[in-house]
Amino acid sequence: MARRQLTRLPSSGTREFQAFEMVPPTLSEIEPYLRAANEIESQRPRVAYLCRFSAFEKAHRLDPTCKGRGVRQFKTALLERLERDNPLTLEKRQRSSDAREIASFYQQYYQNYVKAMDDAENVDRAELARAYQTAGVLFEVLCAINQTEKSELAPEVMEAGQRVVERKAEYVAFNILPLDPSSAKQPIMQLPEVVAAMAGVTNVSGLPILWEVPPGQKLKQFDSLDWLRFVFAFQKDNVRNQREHLVLLLANAHISLKNPRPEPLEELDNRAVDKVLEGLIKNYRSWCRYIKCKSNVSMDPGLTPIQQQQRKVLFTALFLLVWGEAANLRFMPECLCYIFHHMAAELLAVLRGKGPDAKARLPAYGREAEGFLRHVITPVYDVVSKESQAAVAGAAHSSWRNYDDLNEFFWSKSCFELGWPWNASSPFFSGPAPNLHAGSFKGAVNCCPLPGSERMGKEGFVEHRTCLHLFRDFDRMWAFFICCLQAMIIMAWSPPWYSTFTSIDKFRQVTSVFITLAGIYFLKSLTDVFLSFGLYRTQPWTTSLRLLLKTLWFAGWFVVLAISYSMAVQDATGIVSTVQGWIGVTGSPNVYFAVCVLYLVPYVLALGLWLMPCIHRFLENSNWIIFRVILWWSQPAEYVGRGMQESQITILNYTLFWVVLIAAKLVFSFKFQIEPLVAPTEQIMGTTNVVYSWHKLVPTDLNIFAVITLWAPIILVYFMDTQIWYAVMSTLLGGITGAFQRLGEIRNLKMLRQRFRSLPGAFNANLVPAQRLQRSAFSLARTYREPDKNTKEAARFAQLWNEVIVSFREEDLISNREMDLMMVPYSSGDLSIVQWPPFLLASKVPRAVEMAVKGAKGRDGDVWHRISADSYMRFAVEEAFATLQHILTTLLIGENEKFVVNGLLKEVKRNIDNGTLFSVLRMKALPAFIKSVVELVQLLADIAEADGVKTAGRPATPGAAAAGGSAGGGGTVSPDGKGKGKEEAGSSKGNGGGKVGGSQEEKDRKSALIRGLQDLFEVFTCDLISQTMREAMSAHGGPLSEARTVQLFAAAGGAKNQGAGKVGVLYPPPRTPAWCEQVKRFLLLLTCKEAAMDVPTNPEARRRICFFTNSLFMDMPHAPRVRFMPSFSVLTPYYSEDVMYGARQLNEENEDGVSIIFYLQKIYPEEWSNFLERMGCESEEEVVARENGDRELRAWASNRGQTLWRTVRGMMYYKRAMELQAFLDISTDQEFSAGYRALKQAARAGDSSSRATWKQIEAVTDLKFTYVVACQLYGQQKQAGDQRAADIFELMKTHDALRVAYIDEVEVEDKGRVFKEYFSVLVKVSRGVEQEIYRVRLPGQAKLGEGKPENQNAAIIFTRGEALQAIDMNQDNYLEEAFKMRNLLQEFQGGEGVLSRCTGARPPTILGVREHIFTGSVSSLGWFMSCQESSFVTIGQRILAWPLKVRFHYGHPDVFDRLFHITRGGVSKASRGINLSEDIYAGINSTLRRGAVTHHEYIQVGKGRDVGLNQISLFEAKVANGNGEQALSRDIYRIGSRFDFMRSLSAYFTTVGFYVSSVIVVLTVYAFLYGRVYLSLSGVGKSLMNNANISGSDSLQSALSSQALVQLGLLMALPMLMEMGLERGFRTATVDFILMQLQLASVFFTFSLGTKAHYFVRTIMHGGAKYRPTGRGFVVRHEKFAENYRLFARSHFTVALEFLLMLIVIAIYGQDNSSSNGLSYFLVTFSMWFLCISWLFAPFVFNPSAFEWQKVVEDWEDWHRWIGAYGGIGVKGDRSWESWWEEEQEHLVHTGWVGRLVEVLLALRFLIYQYGIVYTLQVNNGSTSLLIYGISWLVVLGLLIVFKVVSMSSKRFGADLQLLFRIIKAGTFCCLVIALALIIGLTSFTWGDLFACILAAIPTGWFMLQVVQAIQPIIPSSMWDSVKGLARLYEYLFGLILFIPIAVLAWFPFVSEFQTRLLFNQAFSRGLQISRILAGKKKA
């Protein structure tokens, strides 16, 4: 086994691991030895053995005791290999000794390979570097062996060895730029912009030499970054990494300069340096201004321009080096500003010093290796690490400092107290107190240090876990809606409503809202004071003073307004009268109005600033003390959140949106909710003769509880229905906006065909750089002119279009025939026409022939007019004639044949021009002529196919392209065909190189060709042309005169041909791909049926091609040339998900006998057929049997799942697209006419000219694009032999531009102590070998916060460019969309962007990109999620970006302004817990820092979503948890408080407000049901109905209808329906919507509502938010009943059962027997019943095979076993109910006393059942004494005692005294039965009473369980087992309630069949049934 591990790792057929790839990390130095041994083993086995032997010796020296991980196993395996190889290699040794053997081979290797390659031109650098590395290893081994054998080396060998050692050091692995001196001639290094950047970086003239140069040695060459490394002790690999980074930034900035362009290009322009420097230090300059310190980035007077540029380069490099080594501190941008500030000062000091003085000014930490990391970064990192450990231990957010807290310490000038490098005694560096946990039951959580503690507390904000954040963050919104509600109630209470504006008294009543407003703001001030606990020691005293003064201010206003209002009221009653008695003044209304006006003055001033955003922005951004004092009252001074005001037009846009929305909402609420409730409320309050069924608790006759039950649901819906109105408004506006953006103009193939003639113009206008950029004005119809004949524009279109079609074929979306039908010829060649794709011309020629035959008796012009009416028919006829003419003239080489045929063609052409064609041709014979032409062309096609010549663009048969693409960018495809393929080597242009008359088969084909030509000639001359024309052409000198004397087309072809000895027909025909393509196209033109117009048939291909063509008619920026476009990177974080499906994984069957590969074959039948066609196979078995077939199959499946393989393939399309675009930019006319793919093939074949062009193309694309996958665990996976590591390696082999970054953990021993060192590593694969490029040491473990952002942060230092696209690993990309990336990047240029022109705002910092959800076809749930998510990422994001201006960052396709974000905290936030939804914080952070976020519809990226209910619920739980944490965060607080009112409304309802609305929907159900339970059990409801017939049903029905809209998912459905209608047509959208409802979409959305509400509330109350992995797999398995119960019991089942209990109580006690009341009950409670059923049974309805009887039986056994299992240490929740039950209480372990108190208070609701039902028992005889309720508790206590006795008996006697236990149980049962019989017999107790008692006992026990769980810390442990027993009993009861209906339905087989049809599409359902049948036959 060890030996096998040494040489390979099983990888399911993908690849073999070489020995050096399995080397343990501690032995990494021996990898070159093993690699060299593998390389030369086939040539000299003995030398390879010696290399391995040297590797073994070195390994033993490196780790002699085998302490490293895996070292012992590795050395043992290597030793076994050496022992085996020694005798075998000795036999093959060619020299007498090992020394001579290796010496001879070394000389031969050096002379014949290394030196020869070094002397050659245009040699591949990677190959040369590998050769030098191998030569270096051989030289080292040679020296070691000679030392052992005591022999001397020849001088020439030593000289060569020294040269190898020197050159080997130069050829280090590189990322993009080979920066070693020997690589200066590489194409990328010769680009002028790179030359200029290198000149700027290497300019070190005048820099002081600060290191000693040994005597006799020359000063080594160095550059600016080397110099900085010596000064500040940066890491070597950090310097190497940032050197390339800086060169690329400068080069791209230099080449992108305009007006004027740099001259000469080889000299670095100062503007480029300024652009990069300012982009990096803009935040630093802003920080300096904010804290009032002078920037240390300055230029000394007297510096020359070159010196200034040098200093700017030094500052730029310094910042990059600091950032590159900052590790986790990159999340703290102002901390980096502080570090850079001091280091820039030190740099200036060194630069200003001279000689020894400069050396003396070196920083102390710069004098030891890696001093910067040790002394600058690590101290702050240690603080972050200590604080994060508290979070890991479960501490509350308020008790530890997260990244934001530590960073915000640097927002004040007090940060300079830390000193430099650091003052370790500062409280800042003190960690949290030990054993600090979040709130124990006694509530001790310290938000700030204890008295006397030196630890620094929170900064700027405290994340207390309370819902008060929602009130404080959006206080203006709550105040507005509360005041509006008060005003509407006042207006409704004094009808008519408009009288409030005509009556002074009523108007004064309405103005009482100002009192309420002051009260609300007073409460808000108190909330601020409370939520600021923990800040008072750290925040400035002015901030604390502001809180105090604002509290007093609003308290004073509240009192003044209340008193003045009381003074103004006459005839006052109640509390107003009491106040009047205090003040002794009445009847002064003017005083009150004056006070109101005075109170409103600040609000008027704020309104004025809002209307003048420029002034407001200036005030906020200003650092002048006077302005800060002015703004001090309104908002605290903070570094972020200033100057976010938009332009006036933008403000007007979103203000108008909200004015219309609020007006509609308020009118609706007033007319249908508030006003109808006034009269019933008055009647209820006026009713005095209410008869209570229970003991009256409140001695009042106002029936206040009845009023509350009436109003509570209405009030809740009032605060929720704004979300509904937002959905309506956003849907309407989003649809209108999308229509004006031209979405959906091409949504099907018919529309595509209609617009295709304008497509080449759209291509060239948008995707091809233009010399002059002219912005097109808006027009209702956008058309482009058709391309001219033989123009370059048409050729460009063909290049791009064909590449898209080829990518479709590579992805198996289309078949070979469909590809042929969709391809466009690269050029028309000798045809003077424009050629269109054959699918547009399908059936046009046959139809034209038919029209010609029918119109034969008419005039030529009439028929031609009818043909021309269809433009594509005209094109087809013209092309058919021209192609036939071209084919005939090409085939005929005899003089007679040429003369005859050319004459005939000229005559036909002349008659066409004269309009006399019908008079000279017999049109009835035209079909026969066309038939002859078809037979001839078919014969030519067969000849071409027999010769094996590929047509242009067809993928290679093995299909490597679809598996992942070629190294060049996404696909290994066949040659383009414009040049000659391998089959054509040696062929001549004249006859194609074939032999005339070779084999018999050749002779037969030649004879058939001649006969075909003769038949065609005969039909034409005898049948088609008229007698008159035949006689005219047969006259002397006419074309047919020769035909009478000569046998045309034959070998003996007349006198002329015989004399020449030549044939008259060219055979074989030309063997060029161009000829074959033309023949095939002509055949398609003649034979295609009308059905060929409907290609492609694949729905995904249709969707993509329609969206792509539609997008070209949309507004987008003009595309620059690739060389001038902004550079960008793509970053994908990856943890441990599937990289590529393994063979075993694909074929493993689930319990239903369904495997993944079978599932995919049925879900994607067309794509599977296309895959088999591409592979040239008939079945899966044939595919696997082929070479690399297993890999191809795995790749095909992986490209249809949510795998990293699919994501990387999609993102690498960027490189492929840019290569093609660069080719169009720089190719010569000859290369252009040959085509892109021909150039690529010729370059690979070794053609020097093509290779030079291709290298230039690659250089330009490498300069612009980088792709980094952050595979965090790749190092560990390699060491563990994980298959995922092998697949990642395969990815890098497939895509040579791919880079993988990972965190490497290395065990190091120091003084007997073993510890881990961490490195951020970047690797690539070159020539099949993995190479480590950079290894940057980290200060410690990288993951201190949330996993994904930390992973991104560790890899972001390896990204490049000005833009960064964040891509998740479940996403995809498409080649056609990649073509538009350079258009998208132009949006960053501000004025050139499309949306920036509309908004008039600042340039964007995040470009939003729409997504397409590609998992919709997997299942019905997948379809629901796909439609829901698609509407969110399209119409939802469209509205957020414009007009609302609150789009943040919701997904991973967004493109970031990279320099902006890496200097402001990165592309996500990482604080543990609070930043669970890390993505959105990047957008909020960007907005708070005055960035702008836009959204763009003309480009899309694919994205996968979860497709099973369990997966979806886990995802929604994660998002709800994240939103719950957002509600507590400082980011939402700053957004809510810093935005203006209207924009804050947008922010609320599009973030946490959506989840708050979901919670309110559930609360509405609670309020309604508990209100009705109160009315039913108390008797109040019956009395009110009898006395006053009061119901308030109109308002209630309106409120419940609003609640139902949200509950049923119609909030999601509205935008979904609009977007589907917009992009697919409203008829299709309506049909799809109906189908979704039939597939129970409303059940799914109702169920999702519960998930959102439950996890959002739990997170805010108790915490417990965490990342929940969903798996992202295919749902082909059945989930066990117990698994569904565990997942949904708390979030859905228990709540639904509580609702069900209330509905039953209402039905029994709240209704009479009248049918009208029954109908009313049904109508009012329908949505509640629907919610209960959905929440109870949706997990089983959407669970495959949930209603199969066998599955039901297995589920019952599994659930019964699980619920009866006991827990214990190490027993997980999926194995035991007890362990699961304890896990479900984990959120209470860390919650505070407030959370526990809330749980107890909420549990009190269950007592209403017992209290109410007890008084309804007949045994009471109508008594309402409180004693009855007390007796009920005695009964409950008795039952608990009985339960305790039974449970104790079970434990004590259940095992050893089983008989005694049975006696006790029997006795207890008998006693209970006897007692029940006595009660029934002796009292009036009835069986109905017994049912009522059970109905009351269930919620009572529920109450006790809830309370006991909440107060667990004070419950004696002896009682806990009884609590568990009672809880188990309840869980068992709940499980039975759920299971019984499922079991009953499982009796009916059609239920299971219906469910399968419901869940999956028809193809899979058929396949599943077949699979079961086959499985049954096999068993039989």
Side-chain angles (χ1 to χ4, degrees), residues 812-1018:
D812 297 315
L813 297 179
I814 59 177
S815 64
N816 290 339
R817 175 176 172 79
E818 288 177 322
M819 182 179 69
D820 294 334
L821 287 169
M822 299 182 72
M823 295 281 279
V824 178
Y826 288 114
S827 65
S828 300
D830 297 330
L831 305 180
S832 58
I833 57 172
V834 177
Q835 293 180 290
W836 300 96
F839 82 96
L840 294 174
L841 311 179
S843 77
K844 301 299 182 182
V845 172
R847 287 176 58 192
V849 170
E850 183 181 352
M851 292 172 65
V853 172
K854 291 182 178 179
K857 297 182 180 179
R859 294 182 301 171
D860 289 16
D862 295 337
V863 176
W864 183 245
H865 179 74
R866 289 197 297 271
I867 291 176
S868 299
D870 185 343
S871 57
Y872 290 125
M873 185 179 295
R874 175 171 58 85
F875 294 148
V877 171
E878 290 177 348
E879 183 178 347
F881 179 77
T883 305
L884 177 61
Q885 183 177 1
H886 175 68
I887 288 176
L888 292 177
T889 55
T890 302
L891 287 177
L892 303 179
I893 57 176
E895 296 298 332
N896 286 340
E897 286 81 1
K898 288 182 179 181
F899 176 76
V900 172
V901 173
N902 287 337
L904 293 174
L905 292 173
K906 288 180 181 179
E907 186 66 20
V908 171
K909 186 69 170 62
R910 185 181 64 83
N911 283 279
I912 292 175
D913 295 338
N914 295 335
T916 58
L917 186 65
F918 280 24
S919 63
V920 298
L921 294 183
R922 300 171 180 171
M923 286 301 166
K924 291 184 179 180
L926 188 58
F929 176 77
I930 296 298
K931 181 181 179 182
S932 300
V933 174
V934 170
E935 292 173 352
L936 175 64
V937 177
Q938 182 65 61
L939 182 59
L940 291 173
D942 293 341
I943 294 173
E945 185 176 353
D947 289 339
V949 181
K950 292 184 181 295
T951 56
R954 186 181 298 280
T957 300
S966 68
T972 302
V973 286
S974 65
D976 177 81
K978 294 299 179 182
K980 295 182 179 180
K982 294 181 180 179
E983 301 88 345
E984 302 170 78
S987 65
S988 66
K989 295 182 180 179
N991 57 13
K995 294 182 180 180
V996 181
S999 63
Q1000 184 60 41
E1001 187 176 355
E1002 286 285 325
K1003 294 179 179 178
D1004 293 341
R1005 283 202 292 265
K1006 178 183 177 183
S1007 300
L1009 178 60
I1010 293 174
R1011 287 196 302 273
L1013 287 169
Q1014 292 174 342
D1015 291 343
L1016 180 65
F1017 180 75
E1018 184 175 353

Side-chain angles (χ1 to χ4, degrees), residues 700-853:
T700 177
D701 293 330
L702 295 179
N703 303 315
I704 188 64
F705 288 121
V707 174
I708 292 175
T709 60
L710 183 65
W711 278 85
I714 308 299
I715 299 301
L716 287 172
V717 169
Y718 169 80
F719 286 110
M720 179 274 298
D721 64 359
T722 308
Q723 196 76 50
I724 300 176
W725 287 102
Y726 172 79
V728 173
M729 284 289 295
S730 63
T731 298
L732 294 175
L733 185 58
I736 296 171
T737 305
F740 275 91
Q741 290 180 359
R742 304 185 186 280
L743 283 170
E745 288 190 355
I746 301 177
R747 55 180 179 265
N748 53 46
L749 294 182
K750 180 180 179 181
M751 292 180 171
L752 173 62
R753 291 192 296 268
Q754 292 172 349
R755 299 288 292 273
F756 203 92
R757 292 170 59 187
S758 299
L759 197 56
F763 259 84
N764 286 283
N766 292 305
L767 301 183
V768 176
Q771 297 296 328
R772 295 183 179 179
L773 303 181
Q774 295 182 351
R775 198 174 307 283
S776 57
F778 177 81
S779 62
L780 294 178
R782 178 164 297 177
T783 58
Y784 298 89
R785 65 178 180 84
E786 295 181 23
D788 298 329
K789 301 175 182 179
N790 293 323
T791 59
K792 206 166 185 178
E793 286 74 14
R796 285 198 189 99
F797 166 71
Q799 298 276 0
L800 292 169
W801 173 265
N802 288 349
E803 200 66 18
V804 171
I805 301 306
V806 169
S807 73
F808 281 15
R809 184 61 192 95
E810 292 168 356
E811 297 176 22
D812 297 315
L813 297 179
I814 59 177
S815 64
N816 290 339
R817 175 176 172 79
E818 288 177 322
M819 182 179 69
D820 294 334
L821 287 169
M822 299 182 72
M823 295 281 279
V824 178
Y826 288 114
S827 65
S828 300
D830 297 330
L831 305 180
S832 58
I833 57 172
V834 177
Q835 293 180 290
W836 300 96
F839 82 96
L840 294 174
L841 311 179
S843 77
K844 301 299 182 182
V845 172
R847 287 176 58 192
V849 170
E850 183 181 352
M851 292 172 65
V853 172

Side-chain angles (χ1 to χ4, degrees), residues 1293-1341:
K1293 278 178 60 179
T1294 305
H1295 307 282
D1296 61 351
L1298 176 65
R1299 302 291 181 262
V1300 168
Y1302 66 94
I1303 308 299
D1304 197 17
E1305 301 179 5
V1306 180
E1307 292 183 351
V1308 179
E1309 182 179 359
D1310 183 22
K1311 298 179 182 180
R1313 185 172 63 93
V1314 178
F1315 60 94
K1316 286 185 177 181
E1317 291 184 345
Y1318 298 88
F1319 298 86
S1320 188
V1321 184
L1322 184 71
V1323 296
K1324 70 173 182 179
V1325 168
S1326 178
R1327 302 284 179 176
V1329 175
E1330 183 179 297
Q1331 295 181 351
E1332 183 175 295
I1333 306 172
Y1334 305 121
R1335 174 175 288 266
V1336 179
R1337 185 187 300 275
L1338 303 175
Q1341 187 176 4

Side-chain angles (χ1 to χ4, degrees), residues 986-1213:
S987 65
S988 66
K989 295 182 180 179
N991 57 13
K995 294 182 180 180
V996 181
S999 63
Q1000 184 60 41
E1001 187 176 355
E1002 286 285 325
K1003 294 179 179 178
D1004 293 341
R1005 283 202 292 265
K1006 178 183 177 183
S1007 300
L1009 178 60
I1010 293 174
R1011 287 196 302 273
L1013 287 169
Q1014 292 174 342
D1015 291 343
L1016 180 65
F1017 180 75
E1018 184 175 353
V1019 171
F1020 183 83
T1021 56
C1022 299
D1023 299 334
L1024 186 59
I1025 62 176
S1026 64
Q1027 182 66 29
T1028 305
M1029 183 177 180
R1030 188 183 306 111
E1031 292 175 354
M1033 289 191 293
S1034 299
H1036 182 69
L1040 296 182
S1041 60
E1042 292 285 338
R1044 286 186 261 171
T1045 59
V1046 179
Q1047 178 64 37
L1048 297 177
F1049 315 116
K1056 296 179 182 179
N1057 287 343
Q1058 289 174 357
K1062 296 181 180 179
V1063 297
V1065 178
L1066 176 66
Y1067 190 86
R1071 289 182 173 178
T1072 63
W1075 167 264
C1076 297
E1077 179 184 0
Q1078 197 168 40
V1079 169
K1080 179 173 289 187
R1081 176 180 172 83
F1082 191 31
L1083 184 62
L1084 290 172
L1085 205 63
L1086 296 174
T1087 60
C1088 274
K1089 305 298 183 184
E1090 192 167 356
M1093 298 173 64
D1094 294 325
V1095 295
T1097 57
N1098 182 276
E1100 175 65 7
R1102 290 187 174 191
R1103 183 199 65 78
R1104 281 173 55 179
I1105 201 68
C1106 288
F1107 176 81
F1108 175 57
T1109 53
N1110 188 107
S1111 68
L1112 296 179
F1113 294 91
M1114 299 169 66
D1115 287 326
M1116 66 177 72
H1118 294 285
R1121 299 181 66 179
V1122 173
R1123 194 173 176 187
F1124 301 141
M1125 68 178 283
S1127 56
F1128 73 103
S1129 294
V1130 177
L1131 177 62
T1132 298
Y1134 166 82
Y1135 187 67
S1136 61
E1137 299 88 346
D1138 288 323
V1139 179
M1140 187 184 192
Y1141 293 132
R1144 180 178 178 182
Q1145 188 178 4
L1146 287 176
N1147 294 297
E1148 185 177 6
E1149 295 182 350
N1150 68 358
E1151 55 193 5
D1152 292 323
V1154 180
S1155 63
I1156 290 179
I1157 189 64
F1158 172 82
Y1159 177 81
L1160 292 175
Q1161 290 169 0
K1162 302 305 175 183
I1163 290 293
Y1164 305 105
E1166 303 101 338
E1167 297 175 32
W1168 174 249
S1169 299
N1170 296 337
F1171 171 69
L1172 292 178
E1173 180 187 35
R1174 177 167 59 82
M1175 295 297 296
C1177 301
E1178 298 293 334
S1179 64
E1180 179 184 341
E1181 291 73 17
E1182 289 186 37
V1183 173
V1184 176
R1186 294 191 56 169
E1187 182 181 1
N1188 286 331
D1190 185 40
R1191 177 187 180 276
E1192 297 296 326
L1193 181 64
R1194 294 175 58 210
W1196 182 86
S1198 301
N1199 286 330
R1200 278 141 192 86
Q1202 300 181 51
T1203 61
L1204 183 62
W1205 188 272
R1206 178 177 190 164
T1207 302
V1208 172
R1209 179 204 65 175
M1211 295 306 118
M1212 291 307 297
Y1213 276 140

Side-chain angles (χ1 to χ4, degrees), residues 1569-1601:
L1569 291 179
Y1570 271 105
R1572 286 307 175 102
V1573 167
Y1574 165 77
L1575 294 176
S1576 301
L1577 295 178
S1578 66
V1580 174
K1582 186 175 182 181
S1583 296
L1584 293 177
M1585 294 294 293
N1586 292 336
N1587 294 335
N1589 193 24
I1590 299 167
S1591 65
S1593 59
D1594 293 339
S1595 294
L1596 190 61
Q1597 192 66 44
S1598 172
L1600 294 180
S1601 298

Side-chain angles (χ1 to χ4, degrees), residues 32-42 47-49 51-52 137:
Y33 292 81
L34 300 176
R35 189 179 295 119
N38 291 336
E39 181 183 347
I40 63 178
E41 187 167 19
S42 60
V47 177
Y49 168 83
C51 292
R52 291 193 180 96
V137 169

